[in-house]
Amino acid sequence: MKLIHTADWHLGQSFHGQERHAEHRAFLAWLLDNLLERQADALLVAGDLFDVVNPSLRAQELLYDFIVAAHERLPSLDIVLIAGNHDSGNRIELPAPLMRRLRTHALGRVNWLDDGTLDTERLLVPLTDAEGETRAWCLALPFLRPAEVTGSALGSRDDAGDIPPSDTPRNGYVAGISRVHRQLIKAARERREPGQALVAMSHAHLHGASVSEASERPIVIGGEESISAALFPPEIAYVALGHLHRAQQVGESRIRYSGSPLPLDFSEVAYPHQVVEVILEGEALVDTTAIPVPRPVAMHRIGPAPLDEALAALEALQDDPALPRERWPWLEVRVELDAPIPDLRARVEAALKDKALRLLRLERRLPKGEDGASPARVDLETLGPRRLFELTWASRWGEPPGDEVLADFDTLRQEVLDADDSDASARDARP
């Protein structure tokens, strides 16, 4: 059985204010050709399909047009999609009944039964071969937000069987994530028949995995939300991960982040962007192959360097005036200065005159303070709402918030996200 693993598409991303629909369209066309050429049995997309919880109609059209085209060209292809932390779980699941007619399974949220146990049935997706025989089961776990796995919603039962527990949880959130994984793996063990492989798909941060310099937007910061690869016992033939943009394996070749197919920030220029071909035979993993993704639009990063060196590097950049503007390379310039230069942008733009390049970001680097440190700076987007709330609470009351307060915050934030999602859906439905 042949699977293609990919993740972190971030359709609809605004790249320093510029849309990237041409790049995403080119990637999806390339992916469709590869699925056909390799006669894949299943496509696994491990979260962050969209860049924001309320994606534009154009971004949604890219996804749904791809699904329809894939079904037309490969009628037996199974597609499994899970929501990531950038996605709205409700939005991902909204067209699920229609998508199932196209052999596409969209999982956005986890549900809990009345007895407090996980509703595992909906998260276990059969993967079939060309003859329609179930050859594997996909354990499809969308990104787990704190409100979904902490507090009363989680219940008290942990029917983990003999699955080894993960590292001692650092907080209730990690404990909840770990418990959900263990319950789903236990259910998959009971559901599968001899000869059928188990394939786990999760949008999560694993211990020891390399995080991108600037482009990921975690919910919880500082590795506090990371889980252990030990959650996935050896009988899981392959673990398809999303969330981290750098393609990598975590400890074993069977546990992999496919990485994003396109660089989502200039810090990712040098990453090997790829999708992963996975070959299963019976219950076992036979082989994995990284398939490089061609870059539809080049991306250049100049510096950090003194102004003269940066200008010289800009002059030396090759360009192709015959390219349509939507295919012109993206450009970031980082200049080291001894003192502010008021006309810096004008000088950089002069060096780029008549070149088929798009300057997206100009960074000025001034000398550090006397102690050698740059001024303290807080990036609110990177900090994340939960951590910002914790710091604000501690500043106001002189101590960190307790577990009950954090659980209330998580629930309130989820209600706000759901309300925003509902409002956006209503706006989209208006004539």
Side-chain angles (χ1 to χ4, degrees):
M1 184 156 199
K2 186 178 294 184
L3 318 176
I4 299 296
H5 164 210
T6 178
D8 297 280
W9 290 359
H10 289 267
L11 301 177
Q13 183 199 19
S14 176
F15 193 42
H16 297 279
Q18 302 296 312
E19 66 175 29
R20 305 186 73 180
H21 295 304
E23 292 172 90
H24 288 130
R25 190 164 52 245
F27 161 67
L28 293 175
W30 172 88
L31 177 60
L32 187 54
D33 289 342
N34 271 267
L35 290 168
L36 187 62
E37 176 186 343
R38 297 169 185 274
Q39 287 297 295
D41 295 298
L43 172 67
L44 308 182
V45 189
D48 280 355
L49 294 123
F50 299 114
D51 192 59
V52 293
V53 295
N54 294 319
S56 66
L57 290 176
R58 194 171 180 187
Q60 295 177 70
E61 286 171 1
L62 283 172
L63 175 63
Y64 301 134
D65 285 349
F66 169 80
I67 291 171
V68 171
H71 184 68
E72 289 175 346
R73 296 178 68 178
L74 280 168
S76 64
L77 179 73
D78 290 316
I79 301 177
V80 187
L81 316 172
I82 59 173
N85 59 301
H86 282 248
D87 298 312
S88 160
N90 289 339
R91 182 178 291 277
I92 294 298
E93 290 195 354
L94 185 63
L98 291 175
M99 288 198 287
R100 280 196 291 270
R101 303 292 294 271
L102 304 175
R103 300 183 65 88
T104 298
H105 306 265
L107 288 308
R109 302 283 292 275
V110 296
N111 293 337
W112 300 95
L113 302 177
D114 291 341
D115 63 357
T117 58
L118 181 69
D119 182 0
T120 57
E121 182 71 21
R122 63 191 299 273
L123 302 176
L124 293 175
V125 180
L127 303 179
T128 59
D129 60 16
E131 286 72 43
E133 295 292 327
T134 298
R135 298 298 182 187
W137 289 91
C138 179
L139 292 67
L141 264 181
F143 180 76
L144 300 170
R145 289 179 166 80
E148 295 176 290
V149 296
T150 58
S152 59
L154 185 60
S156 58
R157 296 183 57 188
D158 185 7
D159 300 326
D162 58 349
I163 299 173
S166 63
D167 295 347
T168 301
R170 290 169 299 285
N171 54 49
Y173 180 39
V174 174
I177 294 175
S178 301
R179 182 173 296 166
V180 168
H181 280 78
R182 292 198 298 270
Q183 288 193 13
L184 184 57
I185 291 170
K186 179 178 182 292
R189 278 175 164 170
E190 298 169 349
R191 181 68 180 272
R192 74 159 172 187
E193 297 178 358
Q196 295 177 341
L198 296 182
V199 177
M201 181 163 60
S202 183
H203 193 88
H205 181 185
L206 265 61
H207 298 342
S210 299
V211 181
S212 299
E213 175 186 323
S215 61
E216 273 124 1
R217 190 177 67 209
I219 300 297
V220 184
I221 307 300
E224 295 177 5
E225 86 285 14
S226 62
I227 59 176
S228 172
L231 276 174
F232 303 104
E235 66 199 273
I236 304 293
Y238 183 77
V239 181
L241 296 169
H243 189 34
L244 304 187
H245 300 162
R246 184 193 296 269
Q248 59 194 290
Q249 68 180 49
V250 185
E252 307 174 56
S253 60
R254 70 184 179 98
I255 304 177
R256 286 182 178 267
Y257 286 96
S258 65
S260 60
L262 300 173
L264 300 170
D265 183 83
F266 285 103
S267 64
E268 298 181 9
V269 168
Y271 286 7
H273 295 275
Q274 61 186 42
V275 301
V276 183
E277 181 185 70
V278 181
I279 307 296
L280 303 172
E281 186 171 321
E283 299 178 8
L285 173 67
V286 175
D287 191 27
T288 60
T289 303
I291 308 171
V293 177
R295 196 167 292 179
V297 174
M299 190 176 286
H300 300 302
R301 199 179 202 196
I302 302 298
L307 180 57
D308 290 344
E309 292 182 21
L311 293 177
L314 292 175
E315 294 283 359
L317 278 178
Q318 299 295 315
D319 67 314
D320 182 1
L323 286 174
R325 186 175 179 82
E326 65 180 15
R327 302 295 290 271
W328 287 10
W330 307 115
L331 176 63
E332 178 190 58
V333 181
R334 296 172 296 167
V335 182
E336 295 175 335
L337 302 173
D338 295 325
I341 299 178
D343 64 341
L344 177 62
R345 175 168 286 275
R347 294 177 67 173
V348 170
E349 290 177 346
L352 294 172
K353 186 177 181 182
D354 300 326
K355 282 185 176 287
L357 300 166
R358 289 178 285 184
L359 176 63
L360 288 192
R361 187 166 184 264
L362 176 58
E363 179 183 324
R364 301 162 175 83
R365 295 196 172 189
L366 292 168
K368 296 181 179 180
E370 293 180 1
D371 59 356
S374 298
R377 181 179 177 182
V378 176
D379 185 337
L380 293 182
E381 182 172 299
T382 301
L383 194 62
R386 198 173 196 259
R387 182 59 179 156
L388 180 60
F389 172 75
E390 291 176 353
L391 293 174
T392 304
W393 180 282
S395 175
R396 175 72 180 271
W397 301 108
E399 61 182 20
D403 291 342
E404 292 185 0
V405 173
L406 287 175
D408 288 342
F409 173 81
D410 293 335
T411 301
L412 179 60
R413 182 169 182 270
Q414 191 64 52
E415 291 175 356
V416 171
L417 289 173
D418 292 345
D420 287 346
D421 189 32
S422 299
D423 291 344
S425 299
R427 289 195 300 271
D428 290 346
R430 292 172 189 164

